Amino acid sequence: MEDFSLFSYPGILFIILFVLLAAVLVILILNMLKINSLKNKYDVFMKGRSAKSLEEDIFEMFDQNNKMRADINDNSRDIRSIYKQLSTATQKVALQKYDAYDQMGGKLSYCLAMLDEYDNGFIINNVHSTGNTYSYIKKIVDGQCDLDLSEEEADTLNRAMFGEKNEADQN
C-alpha cells in the first residue's frame, strides 16, 4: 500500500490553497467594505470638527442635560404647587333658574352653586317676587349643607358636584 499524502499530489494541494486564498479574499473585501462604511460615518460625524471641539461639544451637552434636569425638577415642583392651589379654587359651577312663586314674570329666581375639587363652597339662592328680591347663601362642606336645602338648591348642588348640564347651558 502506498502512503497517501497531500504533498504527493500537488494538484490537490493547489486546489486547497486556491480555495483558502479565495476565502481570505472574500473576508478581506467584506472587511474593507465595513471599514469604508465606518469611515464614511466617522467623516459625517466629525465633519468640520476636531477631537478637541468634539470633546467641548460633549461637555456642553452634559451641561445642557444637567440644566434640563434642573428645569424639569423646578417645573415638577411648580406643577405640584399649582395643583395644590387649584384644588381649593372654584372648579364646579351650576346655575338653575326657576319661578319661585309661579308668577307670570318668568324665571327670575336662581340658584348658583360654586364648589372646589372637594365639593366645598357655597350656594347662592336669589328669590324674586313681584315686590322684593331675597338672597340667601349657604355654606357647603364635602357636598353637604348644615341647613335644609330647597328642591332647587339641592338640584343645583347635585348638578355642580356631578357635572350635569345646567339649565342655563340648555337654553
Side-chain angles (χ1 to χ4, degrees):
M1 240 168 80
E2 216 176 291
D3 236 359
F4 179 74
S5 169
L6 287 177
F7 298 110
S8 61
Y9 295 100
I12 294 176
L13 183 61
F14 179 73
I15 290 172
I16 292 173
L17 289 176
F18 182 76
V19 169
L20 287 174
L21 180 63
V24 168
L25 283 174
V26 168
I27 292 172
L28 178 67
I29 290 170
L30 290 175
N31 281 338
M32 287 176 60
L33 289 174
K34 196 170 214 173
I35 288 171
N36 194 24
S37 172
L38 288 172
K39 184 183 178 313
N40 288 339
K41 289 178 184 178
Y42 176 78
D43 289 342
V44 168
F45 181 71
M46 293 297 289
K47 188 174 187 176
R49 298 186 200 142
S50 66
K52 182 74 173 164
S53 68
L54 187 60
E55 181 182 7
E56 291 169 0
D57 289 347
I58 291 171
F59 283 129
E60 184 179 328
M61 281 188 226
F62 277 123
D63 290 342
Q64 289 173 352
N65 188 8
N66 289 335
K67 185 180 181 310
M68 282 192 288
R69 284 184 182 168
D71 290 345
I72 288 170
N73 289 336
D74 290 345
N75 290 342
S76 295
R77 186 181 61 250
D78 292 344
I79 288 170
R80 281 192 299 275
S81 174
I82 289 169
Y83 275 131
K84 186 177 180 182
Q85 291 172 7
L86 281 177
S87 68
T88 58
T90 299
Q91 297 181 20
K92 303 173 184 180
V93 177
L95 174 67
Q96 180 176 347
K97 294 173 67 175
Y98 66 97
D99 189 356
Y101 299 107
D102 296 323
Q103 299 170 351
M104 301 297 270
K107 296 181 175 182
L108 297 176
S109 299
Y110 65 87
C111 287
L112 174 66
M114 299 180 78
L115 306 172
D116 66 9
E117 180 179 348
Y118 307 108
D119 294 331
N120 298 319
F122 57 88
I123 292 180
I124 296 175
N125 190 357
N126 188 37
V127 181
H128 179 77
S129 69
T130 54
N132 295 315
T133 299
Y134 302 96
S135 292
Y136 305 95
I137 188 165
K138 296 179 181 177
K139 184 177 180 179
I140 306 298
V141 178
D142 295 327
Q144 302 293 318
C145 183
D146 290 340
L147 304 171
D148 289 334
L149 296 177
S150 69
E151 181 181 326
E152 293 83 10
E153 291 170 333
D155 186 45
T156 304
L157 178 61
N158 284 331
R159 288 173 189 259
M161 287 192 314
F162 301 112
E164 297 174 8
K165 282 270 190 204
N166 293 313
E167 205 174 273
D169 294 338
Q170 297 171 355
N171 291 335

